[in-house]
Every structure is written in C-alpha cells, then in structure tokens.
Amino acid sequence: MFETQLVMHEEDFQKILVVIQRLVRDANSKGIFVVDKNGQLISEAGELEGIDSTSLASLTAGCIAATGGLAKIVGEEEFPIHFHQGQRDNLHITLVGSRIILVVVFDERSSLGLVRLRVKKAGAELARIFEDIEQKAKLEAASGSSPFAEITDDDIDNLFSD
Amino acid sequence: MSFINYSSREINCKIVFYGPGLCGKTTNLQHIYAKTNPDLKGKMISLATETERTLFFDFLPLALGQIRGFKTRFHLYTVPGQVFYDASRKLILKGVDGVVFVADSQIERMEANIESLENLQINLKEQGYELDKVPYVIQYNKRDLPNAASLDEMRRVLNPMRAPDFEACATVGKGVFETLKAVAKGVLTDLKKMGR
Ligand SMILES: Nc1nc2c(ncn2[C@@H]2O[C@H](COP(=O)(O)OP(=O)(O)OP(=O)(O)O)[C@@H](O)[C@H]2O)c(=O)[nH]1
Ligand SMILES: [Mg+2]
C-alpha cells in the first residue's frame, strides 16, 4: 500500500551513529541530525543541549519539502544543499539518497568549506547504509515478520484506557 | 509512513488533520496540547499568518504509551485549509499514516467541506493512496453553533463510506480526544495488518 516503512534495527542504528559521530569531529561541528523526509528524527550526535530535536526534525522536513516544491516550479529536480547562516550558529542541510536529510549545526570553530567537504564523504556512507536498510525492510515486509503482527485489539485498547 | 525503531524501541506515526479553512483543525491540536501531560508531549509548532491562519502547518508530537515494549509516538500535523495553499497541503500529506477530516458543521460551510474532501481525495491519490485504504475518521466540528446542519445531513453528504465519525466542539474540547483515539487506533490496527 504505502512505500515501505522505515524499520531501523540496532545494528543499522549503530552504523549510522558511528558515521555521524565521526562527522561531528571531522567537521568540527556542534551537532548532527539525521531526519527522514517525513519529519521523523532518526539519529543525532554532538553537543545538543538546549536543542529541541523533535521540532528541528519536523521543521527541517517542512523546509526541505517547501524548497523541493520550489525547485520543481523552476524546473529543477531538487535543491540538494541548503545553507542557513546565522549570527552565531549555521545550518548545513543536505539530501542523502531519496528520503534522508542530514543536518549539520556549526559555529565559527568550523567553516562552510570544511563542513561541505566532510559531509560529502559521510553523506555517501549514510546513503549506502540507508539503501541497505530499505532492502532489508522490503524483504521483511514481504516475509511478514513484524512485531506488530502479534499485537491484539486488547493491546491497542489498553493504550487508550486512561 | 510509520517508522519502527528497534534500537530505541519506538514507533512513530504521522496523523494529518485536514479540512476547509476555519473548520477548527488548529483548535483541535491546541486542545490536545493544553490537556496533555507535559511528559507526553513536545513543543507545539504553528507556522501561521499574523491573523492566526495556518500558513504551512501546525505540529504536535505526542507519546501515547507502550505496546509490546514499544513506545508509540504520534506526530500530529494540520494543513492550511485555505484553498490557495494547496501546494503546502500536498507536502504535508506525504508519508501520512492516518487522516482526520474536520468538517465545519455550519450549513454555509457545507460546500467548502465537500470541496475540501474532494481535494483530500485528489491529493492522496497523487501519492498513490486511496482514502478508503488509509486509516481515516471524520469529525463534525462546531456542533455548538445555531446554524449547524443536522448530523444526518452531515453524514449523508460527507460520510458515505461510513468511516468512524464524531461530533465535536473543539473550542471546549468536546469530541477532540475521541477523534484522536479513533484515528490512532486505526493506524495501529493497520500496522498490525501490515505485519501479517
Ligand atoms: N463556535 C465554535 N468555534 C470554533 C470551534 N472550533 C473552532 N472554532 C473557532 O473557529 C476559528 C478557526 O479555528 P482554527 O482552528 O484556527 O481553524 P483552522 O481549521 O485551523 O483554519 P486554517 O488554519 O485557516 O485552515 C477560531 O476562531 C476558533 O476559535 C467550535 O467547535 N465551535
Ligand atoms: Mg489552522
């Protein structure tokens, strides 16, 4: 019915974390967020105190969706790289594969050039990991193995019995 | 499209509140936000005009509890109802797991309800979804107003498929959580089906 849903297993989660933790260091950045295009936060790394990552994920997805719409209007497929410059902190946003968004928050300790360079490599690695995840999800969907096959109507009702 | 995370043992689902301009979509989210325990909700984001009309979306993340050791999280979105924001509505519908159609009960708004419902069907179809396959509930809002159409009439016109439906007065919260529960239940039941 829908596109295959995103299913994340521990081992894939760890792989993603390794890539973005390295990216935090290599790019001298403050924080990294991996978000799916529907606005769900997938992973984060760095010094993130005070950042509301759920809101960040939803707004990033909204921003990418809106600029993607703009791209189509002017005849582009997509604008794959976005850069927002602030007084103190900057945001570098890139598309990874077809459904993932990589957000880098950085300040004057880094530079746009460095971030861009490091994101290129990390982005490619993430793209491969997510291709892998998608393949696995398709297989799992086909074989019908989901923890939710087991849930009962009672489980669902219990959730709502205040 | 839901997101199942085995690592954090979470499941995330996206619910969209659809309906004509001023029918009360934002008011639904505001009520849910106001009445939910702070531990269970995140910040509510409203991208709105100066006059409080939704410009892009409202967003409210909500935790509902656990099922089989998985935390269930729902991301609630509203669309902008005004006709000319159609491009934004299409974007927000992407990856939706469940839809609430909020209708305005005022007789004068019946035409707008019908138009918005047709618009919902068209926009879902563009993404390859069919309304009768997506978990879907209808809310007849503004039942408190004297110019409200009868329930029978609303049902006849807006709910030929007999989706779960609810009467509401979102400004005082009547019917709001009933609607939310019904759609959340629909989404989870759908997940269960997908697993088998
Ligand atoms: N009488 C009455 N007024 C309501 C009810 N629900 C919402 N309203 C009012 O209707 C107006 C519009 O409500 P919103 O929630 O902003 O409408 P919306 O659907 O988000 O509108 P858009 O953002 O333009 O799509 C506000 O003044 C609300 O207070 C209701 O049940 N009864
Ligand atoms: Mg609104």
Side-chain angles (χ1 to χ4, degrees), chain B residues 140-176:
Chain B
Y140 310 114
N141 190 31
K142 307 200 184 182
R143 295 310 295 165
D144 57 308
L145 292 178
N147 53 344
S150 74
L151 183 59
D152 281 350
E153 174 72 0
M154 303 276 309
R155 281 201 164 125
R156 190 179 61 75
V157 177
L158 300 172
N159 195 8
M161 302 187 309
R162 291 258 150 223
D165 55 2
F166 302 87
E167 293 185 88
C169 176
T171 33
V172 297
K174 194 175 155 281
V176 170

PDB file of all heavy atoms in Angstrom, chain B residues 140-176:
ATOM      1  N   TYR B 140     -17.282  16.104  12.979  1.00  0.00           N
ATOM      2  CA  TYR B 140     -18.197  17.203  12.658  1.00  0.00           C
ATOM      3  C   TYR B 140     -18.014  18.237  13.749  1.00  0.00           C
ATOM      4  O   TYR B 140     -18.531  18.079  14.858  1.00  0.00           O
ATOM      5  CB  TYR B 140     -19.639  16.705  12.606  1.00  0.00           C
ATOM      6  CG  TYR B 140     -19.810  15.474  11.743  1.00  0.00           C
ATOM      7  CD1 TYR B 140     -20.169  14.257  12.314  1.00  0.00           C
ATOM      8  CD2 TYR B 140     -19.590  15.525  10.370  1.00  0.00           C
ATOM      9  CE1 TYR B 140     -20.313  13.125  11.535  1.00  0.00           C
ATOM     10  CE2 TYR B 140     -19.719  14.390   9.578  1.00  0.00           C
ATOM     11  CZ  TYR B 140     -20.079  13.198  10.173  1.00  0.00           C
ATOM     12  OH  TYR B 140     -20.193  12.071   9.400  1.00  0.00           O
ATOM     13  N   ASN B 141     -17.313  19.283  13.445  1.00  0.00           N
ATOM     14  CA  ASN B 141     -16.956  20.270  14.477  1.00  0.00           C
ATOM     15  C   ASN B 141     -17.970  21.417  14.494  1.00  0.00           C
ATOM     16  O   ASN B 141     -18.787  21.563  13.597  1.00  0.00           O
ATOM     17  CB  ASN B 141     -15.541  20.784  14.204  1.00  0.00           C
ATOM     18  CG  ASN B 141     -15.004  21.613  15.362  1.00  0.00           C
ATOM     19  OD1 ASN B 141     -15.349  21.363  16.522  1.00  0.00           O
ATOM     20  ND2 ASN B 141     -14.180  22.597  15.053  1.00  0.00           N
ATOM     21  N   LYS B 142     -17.874  22.225  15.517  1.00  0.00           N
ATOM     22  CA  LYS B 142     -18.747  23.397  15.718  1.00  0.00           C
ATOM     23  C   LYS B 142     -20.211  22.994  15.875  1.00  0.00           C
ATOM     24  O   LYS B 142     -21.109  23.673  15.379  1.00  0.00           O
ATOM     25  CB  LYS B 142     -18.598  24.409  14.563  1.00  0.00           C
ATOM     26  CG  LYS B 142     -17.148  24.830  14.287  1.00  0.00           C
ATOM     27  CD  LYS B 142     -17.075  26.129  13.525  1.00  0.00           C
ATOM     28  CE  LYS B 142     -15.637  26.489  13.179  1.00  0.00           C
ATOM     29  NZ  LYS B 142     -15.493  27.752  12.487  1.00  0.00           N
ATOM     30  N   ARG B 143     -20.443  21.890  16.583  1.00  0.00           N
ATOM     31  CA  ARG B 143     -21.822  21.457  16.816  1.00  0.00           C
ATOM     32  C   ARG B 143     -22.571  22.457  17.695  1.00  0.00           C
ATOM     33  O   ARG B 143     -23.797  22.418  17.782  1.00  0.00           O
ATOM     34  CB  ARG B 143     -21.867  20.076  17.489  1.00  0.00           C
ATOM     35  CG  ARG B 143     -21.329  18.917  16.678  1.00  0.00           C
ATOM     36  CD  ARG B 143     -21.890  18.822  15.284  1.00  0.00           C
ATOM     37  NE  ARG B 143     -23.324  18.537  15.232  1.00  0.00           N
ATOM     38  CZ  ARG B 143     -24.056  18.694  14.128  1.00  0.00           C
ATOM     39  NH1 ARG B 143     -23.502  19.158  13.021  1.00  0.00           N
ATOM     40  NH2 ARG B 143     -25.340  18.415  14.143  1.00  0.00           N
ATOM     41  N   ASP B 144     -21.828  23.327  18.376  1.00  0.00           N
ATOM     42  CA  ASP B 144     -22.466  24.278  19.300  1.00  0.00           C
ATOM     43  C   ASP B 144     -23.164  25.420  18.565  1.00  0.00           C
ATOM     44  O   ASP B 144     -23.964  26.139  19.163  1.00  0.00           O
ATOM     45  CB  ASP B 144     -21.395  24.881  20.237  1.00  0.00           C
ATOM     46  CG  ASP B 144     -20.259  25.556  19.456  1.00  0.00           C
ATOM     47  OD1 ASP B 144     -19.694  24.898  18.547  1.00  0.00           O
ATOM     48  OD2 ASP B 144     -19.947  26.728  19.739  1.00  0.00           O
ATOM     49  N   LEU B 145     -22.879  25.618  17.302  1.00  0.00           N
ATOM     50  CA  LEU B 145     -23.422  26.798  16.622  1.00  0.00           C
ATOM     51  C   LEU B 145     -24.876  26.577  16.182  1.00  0.00           C
ATOM     52  O   LEU B 145     -25.257  25.475  15.787  1.00  0.00           O
ATOM     53  CB  LEU B 145     -22.544  27.158  15.421  1.00  0.00           C
ATOM     54  CG  LEU B 145     -21.146  27.678  15.793  1.00  0.00           C
ATOM     55  CD1 LEU B 145     -20.329  27.972  14.549  1.00  0.00           C
ATOM     56  CD2 LEU B 145     -21.241  28.906  16.686  1.00  0.00           C
ATOM     57  N   PRO B 146     -25.688  27.640  16.260  1.00  0.00           N
ATOM     58  CA  PRO B 146     -27.119  27.503  15.945  1.00  0.00           C
ATOM     59  C   PRO B 146     -27.357  27.169  14.466  1.00  0.00           C
ATOM     60  O   PRO B 146     -28.367  26.547  14.124  1.00  0.00           O
ATOM     61  CB  PRO B 146     -27.692  28.888  16.282  1.00  0.00           C
ATOM     62  CG  PRO B 146     -26.517  29.818  16.316  1.00  0.00           C
ATOM     63  CD  PRO B 146     -25.337  28.994  16.726  1.00  0.00           C
ATOM     64  N   ASN B 147     -26.422  27.545  13.607  1.00  0.00           N
ATOM     65  CA  ASN B 147     -26.620  27.278  12.178  1.00  0.00           C
ATOM     66  C   ASN B 147     -25.986  25.962  11.735  1.00  0.00           C
ATOM     67  O   ASN B 147     -25.662  25.776  10.570  1.00  0.00           O
ATOM     68  CB  ASN B 147     -26.063  28.437  11.342  1.00  0.00           C
ATOM     69  CG  ASN B 147     -24.615  28.763  11.691  1.00  0.00           C
ATOM     70  OD1 ASN B 147     -24.114  28.336  12.742  1.00  0.00           O
ATOM     71  ND2 ASN B 147     -23.939  29.487  10.825  1.00  0.00           N
ATOM     72  N   ALA B 148     -25.791  25.046  12.688  1.00  0.00           N
ATOM     73  CA  ALA B 148     -25.194  23.753  12.344  1.00  0.00           C
ATOM     74  C   ALA B 148     -26.205  22.890  11.595  1.00  0.00           C
ATOM     75  O   ALA B 148     -27.381  22.840  11.949  1.00  0.00           O
ATOM     76  CB  ALA B 148     -24.739  23.041  13.611  1.00  0.00           C
ATOM     77  N   ALA B 149     -25.735  22.205  10.562  1.00  0.00           N
ATOM     78  CA  ALA B 149     -26.586  21.264   9.834  1.00  0.00           C
ATOM     79  C   ALA B 149     -26.855  20.059  10.722  1.00  0.00           C
ATOM     80  O   ALA B 149     -26.100  19.800  11.664  1.00  0.00           O
ATOM     81  CB  ALA B 149     -25.893  20.836   8.551  1.00  0.00           C
ATOM     82  N   SER B 150     -27.909  19.302  10.427  1.00  0.00           N
ATOM     83  CA  SER B 150     -28.216  18.140  11.264  1.00  0.00           C
ATOM     84  C   SER B 150     -27.142  17.073  11.054  1.00  0.00           C
ATOM     85  O   SER B 150     -26.476  17.035  10.012  1.00  0.00           O
ATOM     86  CB  SER B 150     -29.578  17.565  10.885  1.00  0.00           C
ATOM     87  OG  SER B 150     -29.468  16.880   9.656  1.00  0.00           O
ATOM     88  N   LEU B 151     -27.004  16.229  12.058  1.00  0.00           N
ATOM     89  CA  LEU B 151     -25.994  15.179  11.991  1.00  0.00           C
ATOM     90  C   LEU B 151     -26.275  14.250  10.803  1.00  0.00           C
ATOM     91  O   LEU B 151     -25.355  13.863  10.070  1.00  0.00           O
ATOM     92  CB  LEU B 151     -26.004  14.397  13.307  1.00  0.00           C
ATOM     93  CG  LEU B 151     -24.950  13.307  13.432  1.00  0.00           C
ATOM     94  CD1 LEU B 151     -23.547  13.868  13.284  1.00  0.00           C
ATOM     95  CD2 LEU B 151     -25.095  12.582  14.759  1.00  0.00           C
ATOM     96  N   ASP B 152     -27.546  13.918  10.609  1.00  0.00           N
ATOM     97  CA  ASP B 152     -27.913  13.037   9.494  1.00  0.00           C
ATOM     98  C   ASP B 152     -27.460  13.605   8.162  1.00  0.00           C
ATOM     99  O   ASP B 152     -26.913  12.905   7.315  1.00  0.00           O
ATOM    100  CB  ASP B 152     -29.432  12.834   9.447  1.00  0.00           C
ATOM    101  CG  ASP B 152     -29.865  11.824  10.491  1.00  0.00           C
ATOM    102  OD1 ASP B 152     -28.970  11.176  11.073  1.00  0.00           O
ATOM    103  OD2 ASP B 152     -31.085  11.710  10.725  1.00  0.00           O
ATOM    104  N   GLU B 153     -27.702  14.905   8.026  1.00  0.00           N
ATOM    105  CA  GLU B 153     -27.340  15.574   6.784  1.00  0.00           C
ATOM    106  C   GLU B 153     -25.815  15.540   6.574  1.00  0.00           C
ATOM    107  O   GLU B 153     -25.335  15.229   5.482  1.00  0.00           O
ATOM    108  CB  GLU B 153     -27.855  17.031   6.852  1.00  0.00           C
ATOM    109  CG  GLU B 153     -27.442  17.917   5.697  1.00  0.00           C
ATOM    110  CD  GLU B 153     -28.164  17.568   4.396  1.00  0.00           C
ATOM    111  OE1 GLU B 153     -28.987  16.641   4.403  1.00  0.00           O
ATOM    112  OE2 GLU B 153     -27.864  18.229   3.378  1.00  0.00           O
ATOM    113  N   MET B 154     -25.075  15.836   7.620  1.00  0.00           N
ATOM    114  CA  MET B 154     -23.603  15.836   7.527  1.00  0.00           C
ATOM    115  C   MET B 154     -23.111  14.447   7.119  1.00  0.00           C
ATOM    116  O   MET B 154     -22.249  14.297   6.274  1.00  0.00           O
ATOM    117  CB  MET B 154     -22.964  16.191   8.879  1.00  0.00           C
ATOM    118  CG  MET B 154     -23.367  17.495   9.499  1.00  0.00           C
ATOM    119  SD  MET B 154     -22.516  18.986   8.964  1.00  0.00           S
ATOM    120  CE  MET B 154     -20.804  18.675   9.074  1.00  0.00           C
ATOM    121  N   ARG B 155     -23.688  13.446   7.774  1.00  0.00           N
ATOM    122  CA  ARG B 155     -23.277  12.074   7.485  1.00  0.00           C
ATOM    123  C   ARG B 155     -23.561  11.698   6.042  1.00  0.00           C
ATOM    124  O   ARG B 155     -22.750  11.086   5.370  1.00  0.00           O
ATOM    125  CB  ARG B 155     -24.056  11.103   8.380  1.00  0.00           C
ATOM    126  CG  ARG B 155     -23.506  11.030   9.759  1.00  0.00           C
ATOM    127  CD  ARG B 155     -23.949   9.736  10.409  1.00  0.00           C
ATOM    128  NE  ARG B 155     -23.142   9.462  11.573  1.00  0.00           N
ATOM    129  CZ  ARG B 155     -23.645   9.238  12.799  1.00  0.00           C
ATOM    130  NH1 ARG B 155     -24.952   9.252  12.983  1.00  0.00           N
ATOM    131  NH2 ARG B 155     -22.841   9.001  13.792  1.00  0.00           N
ATOM    132  N   ARG B 156     -24.766  12.076   5.617  1.00  0.00           N
ATOM    133  CA  ARG B 156     -25.186  11.703   4.265  1.00  0.00           C
ATOM    134  C   ARG B 156     -24.234  12.316   3.225  1.00  0.00           C
ATOM    135  O   ARG B 156     -23.788  11.652   2.291  1.00  0.00           O
ATOM    136  CB  ARG B 156     -26.615  12.192   4.027  1.00  0.00           C
ATOM    137  CG  ARG B 156     -27.263  11.663   2.762  1.00  0.00           C
ATOM    138  CD  ARG B 156     -28.698  12.189   2.618  1.00  0.00           C
ATOM    139  NE  ARG B 156     -28.766  13.645   2.529  1.00  0.00           N
ATOM    140  CZ  ARG B 156     -28.434  14.351   1.445  1.00  0.00           C
ATOM    141  NH1 ARG B 156     -28.006  13.749   0.372  1.00  0.00           N
ATOM    142  NH2 ARG B 156     -28.527  15.674   1.456  1.00  0.00           N
ATOM    143  N   VAL B 157     -23.895  13.568   3.447  1.00  0.00           N
ATOM    144  CA  VAL B 157     -23.095  14.281   2.453  1.00  0.00           C
ATOM    145  C   VAL B 157     -21.604  13.933   2.545  1.00  0.00           C
ATOM    146  O   VAL B 157     -20.935  13.758   1.534  1.00  0.00           O
ATOM    147  CB  VAL B 157     -23.286  15.809   2.616  1.00  0.00           C
ATOM    148  CG1 VAL B 157     -22.407  16.570   1.639  1.00  0.00           C
ATOM    149  CG2 VAL B 157     -24.747  16.171   2.423  1.00  0.00           C
ATOM    150  N   LEU B 158     -21.094  13.819   3.775  1.00  0.00           N
ATOM    151  CA  LEU B 158     -19.635  13.721   3.924  1.00  0.00           C
ATOM    152  C   LEU B 158     -19.122  12.330   4.264  1.00  0.00           C
ATOM    153  O   LEU B 158     -17.921  12.081   4.175  1.00  0.00           O
ATOM    154  CB  LEU B 158     -19.163  14.704   5.013  1.00  0.00           C
ATOM    155  CG  LEU B 158     -19.480  16.174   4.745  1.00  0.00           C
ATOM    156  CD1 LEU B 158     -19.141  17.011   5.966  1.00  0.00           C
ATOM    157  CD2 LEU B 158     -18.711  16.677   3.526  1.00  0.00           C
ATOM    158  N   ASN B 159     -20.013  11.441   4.646  1.00  0.00           N
ATOM    159  CA  ASN B 159     -19.507  10.143   5.097  1.00  0.00           C
ATOM    160  C   ASN B 159     -20.222   8.956   4.468  1.00  0.00           C
ATOM    161  O   ASN B 159     -20.713   8.074   5.170  1.00  0.00           O
ATOM    162  CB  ASN B 159     -19.575  10.062   6.621  1.00  0.00           C
ATOM    163  CG  ASN B 159     -18.736   8.915   7.177  1.00  0.00           C
ATOM    164  OD1 ASN B 159     -17.986   8.271   6.431  1.00  0.00           O
ATOM    165  ND2 ASN B 159     -18.865   8.661   8.459  1.00  0.00           N
ATOM    166  N   PRO B 160     -20.270   8.908   3.147  1.00  0.00           N
ATOM    167  CA  PRO B 160     -20.945   7.786   2.506  1.00  0.00           C
ATOM    168  C   PRO B 160     -20.233   6.459   2.788  1.00  0.00           C
ATOM    169  O   PRO B 160     -20.856   5.410   2.763  1.00  0.00           O
ATOM    170  CB  PRO B 160     -20.888   8.138   1.014  1.00  0.00           C
ATOM    171  CG  PRO B 160     -19.747   9.083   0.881  1.00  0.00           C
ATOM    172  CD  PRO B 160     -19.681   9.836   2.169  1.00  0.00           C
ATOM    173  N   MET B 161     -18.914   6.520   3.080  1.00  0.00           N
ATOM    174  CA  MET B 161     -18.153   5.281   3.316  1.00  0.00           C
ATOM    175  C   MET B 161     -18.297   4.787   4.748  1.00  0.00           C
ATOM    176  O   MET B 161     -17.734   3.768   5.123  1.00  0.00           O
ATOM    177  CB  MET B 161     -16.667   5.495   3.019  1.00  0.00           C
ATOM    178  CG  MET B 161     -16.394   5.968   1.610  1.00  0.00           C
ATOM    179  SD  MET B 161     -14.622   5.998   1.243  1.00  0.00           S
ATOM    180  CE  MET B 161     -13.938   6.910   2.619  1.00  0.00           C
ATOM    181  N   ARG B 162     -19.017   5.561   5.563  1.00  0.00           N
ATOM    182  CA  ARG B 162     -19.243   5.152   6.951  1.00  0.00           C
ATOM    183  C   ARG B 162     -17.951   4.976   7.742  1.00  0.00           C
ATOM    184  O   ARG B 162     -17.749   3.973   8.437  1.00  0.00           O
ATOM    185  CB  ARG B 162     -20.068   3.866   7.007  1.00  0.00           C
ATOM    186  CG  ARG B 162     -21.487   4.087   6.553  1.00  0.00           C
ATOM    187  CD  ARG B 162     -22.378   4.163   7.753  1.00  0.00           C
ATOM    188  NE  ARG B 162     -23.529   5.016   7.550  1.00  0.00           N
ATOM    189  CZ  ARG B 162     -23.981   5.883   8.459  1.00  0.00           C
ATOM    190  NH1 ARG B 162     -23.369   6.015   9.589  1.00  0.00           N
ATOM    191  NH2 ARG B 162     -25.040   6.600   8.244  1.00  0.00           N
ATOM    192  N   ALA B 163     -17.077   5.932   7.604  1.00  0.00           N
ATOM    193  CA  ALA B 163     -15.860   5.947   8.433  1.00  0.00           C
ATOM    194  C   ALA B 163     -16.299   6.283   9.857  1.00  0.00           C
ATOM    195  O   ALA B 163     -17.372   6.851  10.057  1.00  0.00           O
ATOM    196  CB  ALA B 163     -14.901   6.997   7.901  1.00  0.00           C
ATOM    197  N   PRO B 164     -15.476   5.939  10.866  1.00  0.00           N
ATOM    198  CA  PRO B 164     -15.818   6.344  12.225  1.00  0.00           C
ATOM    199  C   PRO B 164     -16.004   7.861  12.247  1.00  0.00           C
ATOM    200  O   PRO B 164     -15.191   8.593  11.671  1.00  0.00           O
ATOM    201  CB  PRO B 164     -14.588   5.951  13.041  1.00  0.00           C
ATOM    202  CG  PRO B 164     -13.889   4.913  12.224  1.00  0.00           C
ATOM    203  CD  PRO B 164     -14.207   5.214  10.794  1.00  0.00           C
ATOM    204  N   ASP B 165     -17.087   8.338  12.880  1.00  0.00           N
ATOM    205  CA  ASP B 165     -17.281   9.791  12.903  1.00  0.00           C
ATOM    206  C   ASP B 165     -17.700  10.283  14.275  1.00  0.00           C
ATOM    207  O   ASP B 165     -18.230   9.522  15.084  1.00  0.00           O
ATOM    208  CB  ASP B 165     -18.265  10.244  11.807  1.00  0.00           C
ATOM    209  CG  ASP B 165     -19.605   9.524  11.888  1.00  0.00           C
ATOM    210  OD1 ASP B 165     -19.808   8.704  12.809  1.00  0.00           O
ATOM    211  OD2 ASP B 165     -20.454   9.789  11.014  1.00  0.00           O
ATOM    212  N   PHE B 166     -17.424  11.547  14.553  1.00  0.00           N
ATOM    213  CA  PHE B 166     -17.622  12.120  15.883  1.00  0.00           C
ATOM    214  C   PHE B 166     -18.125  13.549  15.784  1.00  0.00           C
ATOM    215  O   PHE B 166     -17.697  14.299  14.921  1.00  0.00           O
ATOM    216  CB  PHE B 166     -16.292  12.127  16.657  1.00  0.00           C
ATOM    217  CG  PHE B 166     -15.699  10.766  16.799  1.00  0.00           C
ATOM    218  CD1 PHE B 166     -14.867  10.259  15.809  1.00  0.00           C
ATOM    219  CD2 PHE B 166     -16.026   9.958  17.879  1.00  0.00           C
ATOM    220  CE1 PHE B 166     -14.341   8.979  15.910  1.00  0.00           C
ATOM    221  CE2 PHE B 166     -15.511   8.676  17.995  1.00  0.00           C
ATOM    222  CZ  PHE B 166     -14.662   8.179  17.002  1.00  0.00           C
ATOM    223  N   GLU B 167     -19.026  13.895  16.715  1.00  0.00           N
ATOM    224  CA  GLU B 167     -19.446  15.295  16.835  1.00  0.00           C
ATOM    225  C   GLU B 167     -18.479  15.991  17.782  1.00  0.00           C
ATOM    226  O   GLU B 167     -18.010  15.374  18.741  1.00  0.00           O
ATOM    227  CB  GLU B 167     -20.847  15.367  17.428  1.00  0.00           C
ATOM    228  CG  GLU B 167     -21.920  14.796  16.526  1.00  0.00           C
ATOM    229  CD  GLU B 167     -23.297  15.015  17.127  1.00  0.00           C
ATOM    230  OE1 GLU B 167     -23.882  16.082  16.861  1.00  0.00           O
ATOM    231  OE2 GLU B 167     -23.760  14.134  17.875  1.00  0.00           O
ATOM    232  N   ALA B 168     -18.186  17.258  17.503  1.00  0.00           N
ATOM    233  CA  ALA B 168     -17.221  17.936  18.359  1.00  0.00           C
ATOM    234  C   ALA B 168     -17.515  19.415  18.507  1.00  0.00           C
ATOM    235  O   ALA B 168     -18.229  20.026  17.710  1.00  0.00           O
ATOM    236  CB  ALA B 168     -15.810  17.765  17.799  1.00  0.00           C
ATOM    237  N   CYS B 169     -16.967  19.958  19.594  1.00  0.00           N
ATOM    238  CA  CYS B 169     -16.878  21.395  19.754  1.00  0.00           C
ATOM    239  C   CYS B 169     -15.449  21.632  20.244  1.00  0.00           C
ATOM    240  O   CYS B 169     -15.164  21.507  21.440  1.00  0.00           O
ATOM    241  CB  CYS B 169     -17.916  21.873  20.764  1.00  0.00           C
ATOM    242  SG  CYS B 169     -17.757  23.627  21.079  1.00  0.00           S
ATOM    243  N   ALA B 170     -14.579  21.881  19.299  1.00  0.00           N
ATOM    244  CA  ALA B 170     -13.139  21.883  19.598  1.00  0.00           C
ATOM    245  C   ALA B 170     -12.753  23.005  20.555  1.00  0.00           C
ATOM    246  O   ALA B 170     -11.792  22.872  21.317  1.00  0.00           O
ATOM    247  CB  ALA B 170     -12.329  21.989  18.313  1.00  0.00           C
ATOM    248  N   THR B 171     -13.500  24.110  20.531  1.00  0.00           N
ATOM    249  CA  THR B 171     -13.149  25.238  21.405  1.00  0.00           C
ATOM    250  C   THR B 171     -13.260  24.841  22.877  1.00  0.00           C
ATOM    251  O   THR B 171     -12.507  25.343  23.704  1.00  0.00           O
ATOM    252  CB  THR B 171     -14.050  26.462  21.132  1.00  0.00           C
ATOM    253  OG1 THR B 171     -15.334  25.997  20.748  1.00  0.00           O
ATOM    254  CG2 THR B 171     -13.475  27.333  20.045  1.00  0.00           C
ATOM    255  N   VAL B 172     -14.198  23.936  23.215  1.00  0.00           N
ATOM    256  CA  VAL B 172     -14.272  23.477  24.601  1.00  0.00           C
ATOM    257  C   VAL B 172     -13.723  22.052  24.743  1.00  0.00           C
ATOM    258  O   VAL B 172     -13.732  21.479  25.818  1.00  0.00           O
ATOM    259  CB  VAL B 172     -15.716  23.536  25.159  1.00  0.00           C
ATOM    260  CG1 VAL B 172     -16.210  24.979  25.173  1.00  0.00           C
ATOM    261  CG2 VAL B 172     -16.653  22.634  24.393  1.00  0.00           C
ATOM    262  N   GLY B 173     -13.279  21.491  23.635  1.00  0.00           N
ATOM    263  CA  GLY B 173     -12.625  20.184  23.697  1.00  0.00           C
ATOM    264  C   GLY B 173     -13.544  18.997  23.543  1.00  0.00           C
ATOM    265  O   GLY B 173     -13.099  17.851  23.545  1.00  0.00           O
ATOM    266  N   LYS B 174     -14.823  19.255  23.365  1.00  0.00           N
ATOM    267  CA  LYS B 174     -15.751  18.121  23.248  1.00  0.00           C
ATOM    268  C   LYS B 174     -15.460  17.338  21.966  1.00  0.00           C
ATOM    269  O   LYS B 174     -15.350  17.906  20.896  1.00  0.00           O
ATOM    270  CB  LYS B 174     -17.184  18.656  23.233  1.00  0.00           C
ATOM    271  CG  LYS B 174     -18.218  17.587  23.459  1.00  0.00           C
ATOM    272  CD  LYS B 174     -19.622  18.182  23.546  1.00  0.00           C
ATOM    273  CE  LYS B 174     -20.663  17.146  23.169  1.00  0.00           C
ATOM    274  NZ  LYS B 174     -20.791  16.942  21.728  1.00  0.00           N
ATOM    275  N   GLY B 175     -15.304  16.014  22.116  1.00  0.00           N
ATOM    276  CA  GLY B 175     -15.106  15.151  20.947  1.00  0.00           C
ATOM    277  C   GLY B 175     -13.685  15.116  20.419  1.00  0.00           C
ATOM    278  O   GLY B 175     -13.364  14.313  19.540  1.00  0.00           O
ATOM    279  N   VAL B 176     -12.801  15.948  20.957  1.00  0.00           N
ATOM    280  CA  VAL B 176     -11.451  16.045  20.395  1.00  0.00           C
ATOM    281  C   VAL B 176     -10.639  14.775  20.657  1.00  0.00           C
ATOM    282  O   VAL B 176     -10.058  14.186  19.742  1.00  0.00           O
ATOM    283  CB  VAL B 176     -10.717  17.288  20.948  1.00  0.00           C
ATOM    284  CG1 VAL B 176      -9.243  17.273  20.584  1.00  0.00           C
ATOM    285  CG2 VAL B 176     -11.379  18.553  20.419  1.00  0.00           C
TER     286      VAL B 176
END
